[in-house]
Structure formats: C-alpha cells, structure tokens
Amino acid sequence: MKNLSIKEINKGLANKDFSAVEITESFLAVIKEKDKEINGFLEVNERLAKEQAVLVDEKIKQGEKIEILAGVPFAVKDAILAEGFKCTAGSRILENYQAPYDATVVKKLRAQIAIILGKTNLDEFTMGSSTEHSAFKITKNPRDLTRVPGGSSGGSAAAVAAGECVFSLGSDTGGSIRQPASFCGIVGLKPTYGAVSRYGLIAHASSLDVIGPLAKNVDDVEIVFNAMKGKDEKDSTSSDYQLPATNYQLNNVIIGAPKEYFGEGLEKGTKEIIEGAIKKAERAGAKIEEISLPYSRYALPCYYIISTCEASANLARFDGIKYGLSKSAENLFDVYCQSRGAGFGKEVQRRIMLGTFALSSGYYDAYYLKAQKVRALIKQDFDRAFEKVNFIFTPVSPFLAFKVGEKIDDPLKMYLSDIMTVPISLAGLPALSLPAGDDNGLPVGLQIIGKPFDEQGIFQIAKFLE
Amino acid sequence: MTTAGFLFYFMLDKSLVKHIAKLSRLTLSAESEERMQKDLSAILDYFTMLDAVDTNGIEPFRSPVALRNITRQDKPCETAVQTKEKIKSQFPFKNRDYLKVKEIL
C-alpha cells in the first residue's frame, strides 16, 4: 500500500477495495518497522490516527462523498502546530510544548479528514541543511543510512522516501523543502511567498518563510498544495491571487538555464544529470535559452544577513516566561538569559547572535539595509529573465547528500548547501524539486522555478519530465 | 567595524561577543564564547562579499508582499475554552489564572 498515490487511495476507498483504517495501519506498521533506523519522526500518535480513519470509514459506509485527501496518512514538520501533538521545533526550549491550536494548513487538511500520523524531525527552529541540528535525534537518508536527508525538513523528506507516509508538510526559508526533497529523491514544492498561510508555523524569517508539501510524485504535491493555498485572515501576507489558467506543454515553453548556476562548485555528476534533464526537455520541443542572473552570486551572504536578523527578532519570544523551558533565577533578566542559554542549541544561538549584531546600533545600514538592497538586485535579475522565459531550470544542490557529521562543525560549509535555493527564496518565487536521476546511487534534484503564483505551470511542466 | 556603510574584516573581540550575548539575552559558557568569537568572525568576514555590490540609488526590498500596518478591528475574538486552558496550563509560573513573572522594578 505504501506506493499508492493520493488519487489511487481515494479511488480504492470509494470502491471499498480497502478501508481507511487498513491504510492507516499499514503506514503505522512501516513506521514501526523502519523508523528505528531512519529517525524521521519525533512523535507518532496511533490512537489519534486510527480515530480519524474510523471517521472516514464511517462516512464511506453511510454513502457520503469523501474529499480527495480523506483517509490519506501524512506527517507534519515539527515546526507546524497540530493539536494533540507537541510542537518542539526540534529544540530543548520547546521540548514539552503542547500545540494549543492547529496551524491553518493543518486545519484545512484535517477538514478533509486527512490522517496525521505524527510530527517529523527538523533542524532546530528550521535552521540548518542536514537535520543534524535537531536537539533530539539525527535523521538518516533512506537512500543511504550513512548520509543526511538534508534539511531543515529532513524528517518530512525521509518519512516520504521511506514509505512511512503518503505526503508530508515542510517549511522552506532558504531551501528547507527543496534540498531535502533532492537529497531523498522525492518531489518538494516551495510555493510562492504568500500563496500558503503561515499561521501556526513557528517563525524563522518572516519575509522568507513558506509552508509546502513533499510527496513521491508531482500529482500528489499538486493536490496537497491546492488544498492548503489561499488567503487566511490570520496571515496578512497570504493571498488568493491566481494567474490565468495556462496550458504549458514542453513544445510551447521557453526554459532559461542561468549560466551562473552551472559553474564552479557544482559537482560533475550533478551537472551532467541536470544538463541531461534540460536536453530531454529540448528534445521534447522546449526552447532552451542561456540566461544570466549575475547577482545570484551574492545571494548567500544576503540571505544569511536577512534571515538571521529576522530570526533574532522572531526568537525573542522564547523568553522562559510564557511557555517552554524556564530557568529560575534571581531576577527577570537572568531568567531570560539562562532559559535561552540552556534551551537553544549552538546553531540557533549563533544565528541569534549574528542577527542581533547586524541589527545593533551602528551596524544596521552596513548589514541589514545593504542586504535588502542586494536583495532588490537579485529579484530584478529574475524579473528580467522572466520577461524572456517561462521557467528557469537549475540544480537544487551543488552536491549530493553528504555524510552524517561531514559539515556539522563548520557553519559556513553547511551554509553553502543553500547556494542554489536561497536566491529563489529572496525573490519570493515558487520552485519545485524534481528527481532528475541518480549519481552513484544518490538522487539529484532538478529545480524548476516559475513566475510568482505560477505553481500550476510548474506542475504541468514537471509532469512531462517526471 | 564599519566606515561609511562599508564592511571590512575584523576579529570580534571578546568584550563585543559578551555585549552581543547580553543584547541577545543569552548566557554563554566560556567555551561557547570562544567558539562564538571564532565562528562569528568567519561568517562576518564572508558577509564582506557584499561590499563589491554597488547599491547606490537602489531601494531596499523588504518583503515580496508590500504591506503596511495591517490591523484588525479592536474587538476581542472568540477563543475556544480548551485553547485558553492549554495556553494557561503551560505557564512556567502562575498564580491562579495569572502568569507570574519576576518583579520588574
């Protein structure tokens, strides 16, 4: 059952080929069997999952029509609130924090009676590219257990790749859905900034954060995205904006290949596979145009200034006063410092310090303001490119899934994992990671970037290349 | 240090690390301070890459969605009793229904 698509599950349930309880139990069994070595999940709730499945089976028994996601088992990154579960953000500071309400995306999926199996592991507060920065466990890549699954949505990607759930939810600030999808050989979508409500997502960097789906195929990702998108009063950046319907075929599109993304630092095997995917599109009739995105080379420092500044402000709320870990101390100031000193891990502390420094008196113009101006130039590059092309193809990651422990002691080395995903985040664009082939048995993801709110176009093109 | 908005390499000194830790409301061990000094200096050095970009006359890009001061009506909204209970039950220190904090003055 673990290879069924969402549509196949929906059809099978309606035809009574199997029940929602059976589906749910089969995925729970995979988790029991495999998650001891994968470590994708931080929490699984069998009772809650089965209760939901019974509701779906009841509806079918009564002859009621069920929604497309009814009875479909999924997992949620542990930075997204879901009632009935803890929400730890992978951090000691929230180790025992119970989600008091549902994130909007979870509420929408639960309204269809999709089945939440559990919460998945992540880099603490979504800060990292390997899931090794989780305070609780190290998730392994199902394709090679000595390697990382990528991050920060590593648990969500590994759970899908291991067949422990049909789809999962992740969040992407600088590549946290796309890169783990690429490392684990599955499909992951970073939606346009604003396309999906972030209400109930623990904030990392507010001008960049988005929530998106991960699944085994493009069709499943599309179904979940369509179920989650849209305006939400509780997130004022969310939007109902829609582009006019398109009918993209490979023989009526122009695809841009930015030369800056195929140069130095890109592994040979990855380069060949991505160029192969572009050739494949060309043979099917797509027009390929070499383009230039010259400011993308500044995207990484730009991203790490902006994201750490915003994170330092967002994480000020974890103060040991209202919830989470609280250290008792002589005075209020010491309660703050000691709770945060004990509760946050090294990478989170590093980023809070960086952001605090960059925003401090005398440095604001040199760092945050400067980075926002560079961000404008990066965005301008993409705007110009999209005047000529419909989509842009690049690799997701310059290298394959790396070994556990390989980059953990060198923050800059770890940051370089994001070099091809952060420019798209800074520009607020939608992008999909699509498996394009294997190099030495490890998956390589193609990044398909679209115009703002052109997720439907991305899905149409991705299905031709799947 | 910065001059006229330009960045150049410097090793953060210990007292600046301590000052940033204080602004960040973080208690750091001596070992963490040492590590932080090294890591932050290397990362800030990497950030100097942006010096090469001429941003004269460029408007800063703050967010992909241009919004200003979104407010909701100043009316209490309904919150489920169970949500309230869940929030209150997680107060680290409380006095009946109230969140208890250390004295401020």
Side-chain angles (χ1 to χ4, degrees):
Chain A
M1 276 190 191
K2 68 178 192 181
N3 288 319
L4 293 177
S5 70
I6 291 172
K7 280 182 185 158
E8 285 164 350
I9 290 175
N10 186 256
K11 212 173 142 198
L13 287 171
N15 291 343
K16 303 199 172 106
D17 297 337
F18 41 74
S19 70
V21 169
E22 282 170 338
I23 289 271
T24 303
E25 282 175 343
S26 77
F27 280 94
L28 288 168
V30 179
I31 294 174
K32 260 209 180 109
E33 182 203 326
K34 288 195 171 174
D35 212 55
K36 277 194 253 23
E37 44 180 29
I38 303 283
N39 277 330
F41 282 86
L42 289 173
E43 187 183 2
V44 174
N45 191 327
E46 292 193 14
R47 183 188 54 80
L48 209 60
K50 284 183 199 167
E51 275 174 19
Q52 298 300 303
V54 167
L55 287 180
V56 176
D57 287 337
E58 272 303 308
K59 272 191 130 180
I60 295 168
K61 214 167 129 194
Q62 305 290 330
E64 284 178 54
K65 199 173 158 4
I66 55 163
E67 306 267 5
I68 182 76
L69 288 169
V72 179
F74 73 108
V76 180
K77 184 179 187 177
D78 207 22
I80 300 170
L81 302 187
E83 244 192 299
F85 293 89
K86 290 199 282 187
C87 193
T88 69
S91 180
R92 292 268 171 233
I93 210 162
L94 292 178
E95 190 169 2
N96 298 307
Y97 179 62
Q98 293 286 337
Y101 55 87
D102 276 341
T104 297
V105 288
V106 170
K107 203 172 173 182
K108 284 184 171 181
L109 298 177
R110 276 182 159 164
Q112 293 202 21
I113 333 186
I115 316 283
I116 305 189
L117 301 176
K119 304 297 292 290
T120 54
N121 198 20
L122 68 161
D123 286 297
E124 185 177 358
F125 285 104
T126 78
M127 296 173 184
S129 313
S130 69
T131 312
E132 292 164 292
H133 287 305
S134 165
F136 305 114
K137 46 169 81 163
I138 292 179
T139 301
K140 306 288 170 53
N141 190 321
R143 294 286 291 268
D144 177 346
L145 296 176
T146 66
R147 291 175 191 270
V148 302
S152 63
S153 311
S156 287
V160 170
E164 297 173 327
C165 55
V166 176
F167 71 91
S168 61
L169 302 186
S171 66
D172 191 314
T173 304
S176 284
I177 289 172
R178 290 161 285 164
Q179 185 250 21
S182 174
F183 279 13
C184 294
I186 60 165
V187 185
L189 174 76
K190 173 225 175 283
T192 310
Y193 182 85
V196 175
S197 165
R198 286 105 38 98
Y199 180 70
L201 168 69
I202 295 178
H204 169 175
S206 302
S207 78
L208 296 156
D209 293 342
V210 293
I211 293 176
L214 300 99
K216 282 222 165 89
N217 59 68
V218 179
D219 202 43
D220 286 357
V221 163
E222 180 175 8
I223 291 167
V224 179
F225 169 71
N226 285 334
M228 296 196 301
K229 70 179 183 182
K231 176 80 189 157
D232 174 16
E233 263 185 28
K234 288 172 169 157
D235 176 359
S236 46
T237 61
S238 64
S239 163
D240 270 331
Y241 186 77
Q242 288 216 331
L243 289 179
T246 52
N247 182 21
Y248 288 116
Q249 316 265 346
L250 279 174
N251 59 17
N252 68 9
V253 293
I254 307 171
I255 292 164
K259 58 180 185 203
E260 292 82 4
Y261 290 66
F262 291 87
E264 208 188 322
L266 179 61
E267 273 181 9
K268 195 166 158 268
T270 299
K271 189 172 183 225
E272 283 168 8
I273 286 169
I274 300 304
E275 284 175 347
I278 293 172
K279 282 255 155 58
K280 188 178 160 193
E282 191 174 24
R283 277 198 301 274
K287 199 165 166 250
I288 311 295
E289 201 152 308
E290 188 186 87
I291 58 168
S292 176
L293 301 168
Y295 286 103
S296 281
R297 66 181 295 241
Y298 300 106
L300 202 65
C302 178
Y303 169 82
Y304 275 94
I305 292 172
I306 288 173
S307 67
T308 55
C309 285
E310 294 182 6
S312 73
N314 275 327
L315 270 63
R317 77 193 61 185
F318 303 103
D319 56 4
I321 302 295
K322 301 178 291 293
Y323 48 82
L325 181 80
S326 183
K327 291 274 175 192
S328 25
E330 287 273 304
N331 55 57
L332 189 64
F333 185 82
D334 289 344
V335 172
Y336 295 152
C337 295
Q338 288 178 25
S339 303
R340 291 162 63 82
F344 289 139
K346 282 199 176 68
E347 177 61 18
V348 173
Q349 292 189 347
R350 204 150 41 216
R351 296 205 195 189
I352 291 173
M353 295 273 287
L354 272 172
T356 303
F357 172 68
L359 288 175
S360 66
S361 174
Y363 297 102
Y364 178 89
D365 286 6
Y367 290 102
Y368 194 54
L369 191 64
K370 176 82 183 182
Q372 286 182 323
K373 289 178 178 176
V374 176
R375 185 177 184 179
L377 293 167
I378 293 166
K379 163 88 169 39
Q380 217 174 68
D381 273 354
F382 281 101
D383 290 347
R384 284 195 187 129
F386 278 121
E387 285 170 12
K388 293 189 295 188
V389 304
N390 305 106
F391 301 97
I392 296 172
F393 283 11
T394 75
V396 171
S397 164
F399 38 70
L400 302 167
F402 45 89
K403 293 266 184 192
V404 171
E406 191 181 322
K407 297 180 196 288
I408 193 75
D409 289 325
D410 186 342
L412 268 176
K413 245 192 194 166
M414 189 70 91
Y415 295 175
L416 282 169
S417 308
D418 308 333
I419 199 153
M420 296 185 171
T421 48
V422 292
I424 291 85
S425 301
L426 289 167
L429 300 169
L432 184 95
S433 177
L434 182 74
D438 286 358
D439 178 22
N440 284 319
L442 292 170
V444 172
L446 166 72
Q447 180 167 233
I448 304 178
I449 307 158
K451 294 175 189 172
F453 296 96
D454 199 11
E455 283 84 358
Q456 306 306 332
I458 291 177
F459 298 141
Q460 286 167 5
I461 284 306
K463 284 177 193 171
F464 286 112
L465 296 167
E466 210 170 6
Chain B
M1 306 296 118
T2 72
T3 50
F6 283 93
L7 317 167
F8 56 87
Y9 178 74
F10 59 100
M11 183 77 176
L12 287 180
D13 65 39
K14 259 295 169 52
S15 66
L16 189 51
V17 173
K18 282 184 200 290
H19 177 64
I20 305 166
K22 191 176 162 193
L23 291 177
S24 302
R25 303 290 185 267
L26 288 171
T27 301
L28 297 182
S29 65
E31 188 200 337
S32 297
E33 266 177 19
E34 194 111 336
R35 181 68 207 259
M36 205 62 94
Q37 183 181 20
K38 195 178 129 253
D39 288 344
L40 296 189
S41 297
I43 297 165
L44 290 169
D45 184 40
Y46 180 67
F47 288 171
T48 61
M49 233 179 109
L50 297 190
D51 290 353
V53 188
D54 180 3
T55 51
N56 267 326
I58 303 294
E59 278 297 308
F61 180 74
R62 297 200 161 83
S63 165
V65 181
L67 294 173
R68 267 193 104 130
N69 298 339
I70 305 287
T71 53
R72 63 168 172 80
Q73 278 197 310
D74 188 19
K75 276 201 303 206
C77 49
E78 280 301 313
T79 303
V81 177
Q82 67 196 49
T83 307
K84 288 183 201 169
E85 286 309 317
K86 264 197 183 140
I87 291 170
K88 286 188 290 188
S89 70
Q90 302 194 66
F91 290 165
F93 300 98
K94 61 183 158 186
N95 186 347
R96 285 173 306 173
D97 255 2
Y98 296 99
L99 174 68
K100 200 174 155 189
V101 294
K102 294 265 176 203
E103 59 183 340
I104 291 167
L105 291 175

